[in-house]
Amino acid sequence: MAIVLITGGSGLIGRALTKALQRDGHDVRWLSRMAGERDGVRALAWNIERGEVDARALEGVDHVIHLSGAGIADKRWTRSRLKQLCASRGGAARLLLKVAIENGIRPKSFISASGIGYYGAITGDHVFSENDPPANDTIGLLTKDWEDGADEWGTITRVVKLRTPMVLARNGGALPKLAAPARWGLSAAFGSGKQWMPWVHIDDLVRAYQRAIADDRMHGAYNVTTSDQPVNREFMQAVAKVLGRPFILPAIPALALKIVLGELAHVLLEGSRASNAKLLATGFRFQHGTLSSALKDTLQ
């Protein structure tokens, strides 16, 4: 049994991972804005903006899972919002490292969430691997700072970064929002509809974190995405089909999305494929390897 500290444990991924780790017999703690007992998990407090962390959260910890981060798609990307997005990811990792060093704490691993956005909001034929450099656009720079904060833990422990695409889940994430119009027969592609949409089922993502904890040969970045990576139009058609609804509307114009969402719209209007070869080389296998299987599990 290991002691696992999760930042952002009350989020979609954190709750699913917590349940899986507890089933495996691990002792799970959360770092949260509010201390207390929630869902059988002891939560200790931190305040990223004020640079405050309850150091007791790190006592005896074997593995740190860093999932915290303000929602990328929750608000328009103003300058102040982007600073908040960086502070809640890379900045939070740096704050926690400072506390660990000050208290002489050396966990066995630091496993951080990251995003496929590392490669940028672009669409092309290239299939990105972990050896490709980060993009210089907003999402690329944000994700690079996120990973840089995680990499600083490399001075004291093993670091793993799981670059994650859209997560398909029944009760959270982007899928319920994308499926809502489709349930009324109003599903449509975004912009050209030709942008790639890599994805992963939440159960497979949880299993990737479990493997990263258990397999001390894992180091560095891994793309956690299935091999079945459709373009946006194919993805939205698949959602409509699983729900038994028509797909007949014209695409939503890119300009309309930009007016509503600002710079954030680029994340919806652009997208590239990413290779999962490095993850598969560890022996990992996806249980939900096809979009049809994943959508039937999460939507029906």
Side-chain angles (χ1 to χ4, degrees):
M1 183 187 76
I3 298 176
V4 182
L5 174 66
I6 302 179
T7 72
S10 62
L12 173 69
I13 299 168
R15 287 186 180 277
L17 178 58
T18 295
K19 291 179 181 179
L21 293 176
Q22 289 176 327
R23 287 195 297 267
D24 290 343
H26 298 304
D27 179 4
V28 180
R29 303 172 188 168
W30 289 352
L31 260 180
S32 176
R33 288 188 295 269
M34 298 289 292
E37 190 87 9
R38 295 204 294 278
D39 299 329
V41 180
R42 181 189 180 198
L44 294 102
W46 68 340
N47 188 303
I48 298 169
E49 292 78 12
R50 294 202 296 261
E52 299 171 352
V53 180
D54 187 336
R56 293 176 299 173
L58 285 162
E59 290 178 356
V61 162
D62 297 297
H63 306 278
V64 178
I65 310 293
H66 182 43
L67 302 177
S68 78
I72 286 178
D74 290 352
K75 298 179 181 179
R76 291 175 69 96
W77 285 359
T78 62
R79 183 172 298 180
S80 61
R81 180 60 176 175
L82 288 171
K83 292 176 79 171
Q84 184 182 14
L85 292 174
C86 283
S88 64
R89 289 170 168 77
R94 296 180 180 98
L95 171 61
L96 200 54
L97 175 61
K98 177 176 177 291
V99 174
I101 291 175
E102 289 174 349
N103 290 273
I105 295 167
R106 301 290 189 273
K108 296 177 181 178
S109 71
F110 183 87
I111 302 166
S112 178
S114 181
I116 295 296
Y118 183 88
Y119 308 115
I122 58 175
T123 301
D125 294 330
H126 181 67
V127 180
F128 287 94
S129 76
E130 292 82 356
N131 294 325
D132 281 302
N136 289 319
D137 59 6
T138 301
I139 188 65
L141 293 173
L142 168 64
T143 312
K144 181 180 184 301
D145 182 72
W146 194 357
E147 293 200 6
D148 286 347
D151 284 334
E152 292 178 20
W153 279 79
T155 58
I156 67 170
T157 191
R158 175 174 68 97
V159 174
V160 179
K161 299 164 294 183
L162 299 183
R163 292 178 182 163
T164 309
M166 179 173 62
V167 179
L168 303 187
R170 180 178 297 274
N171 297 315
L175 183 59
K177 298 175 183 177
L178 293 175
R183 294 183 186 277
W184 295 93
L186 300 175
S187 183
F190 299 153
S192 70
K194 297 179 180 179
Q195 64 273 36
W196 299 100
M197 287 188 67
W199 58 274
V200 66
H201 190 288
I202 190 167
D203 291 349
D204 283 325
L205 180 59
V206 165
R207 292 175 51 249
Y209 277 98
Q210 290 175 289
R211 177 170 286 271
I213 289 173
D215 189 347
D216 59 12
R217 297 170 298 176
M218 289 182 67
H219 288 268
Y222 293 83
N223 295 329
V224 187
T225 180
T226 61
S227 301
D228 181 8
Q229 299 176 46
V231 296
N232 174 260
R233 176 171 292 277
E234 294 168 342
F235 184 95
M236 299 307 294
Q237 284 177 327
V239 169
K241 181 177 180 180
V242 167
L243 293 174
R245 296 294 185 269
F247 186 83
I248 57 177
L249 293 180
I252 300 172
L255 180 59
L257 289 172
K258 291 176 181 177
I259 290 173
V260 174
L261 301 175
E263 190 177 3
L264 173 59
H266 292 292
V267 177
L268 297 175
L269 294 169
E270 304 291 346
S272 293
R273 291 170 294 177
S275 168
N276 59 17
K278 183 179 177 183
L279 179 63
L280 296 180
T282 69
F284 183 88
R285 294 295 179 267
F286 290 91
Q287 292 181 347
H288 294 278
T290 67
L291 181 60
S292 175
S293 165
L295 291 178
K296 287 177 181 177
D297 183 72
T298 51
L299 291 179
Q300 292 185 341

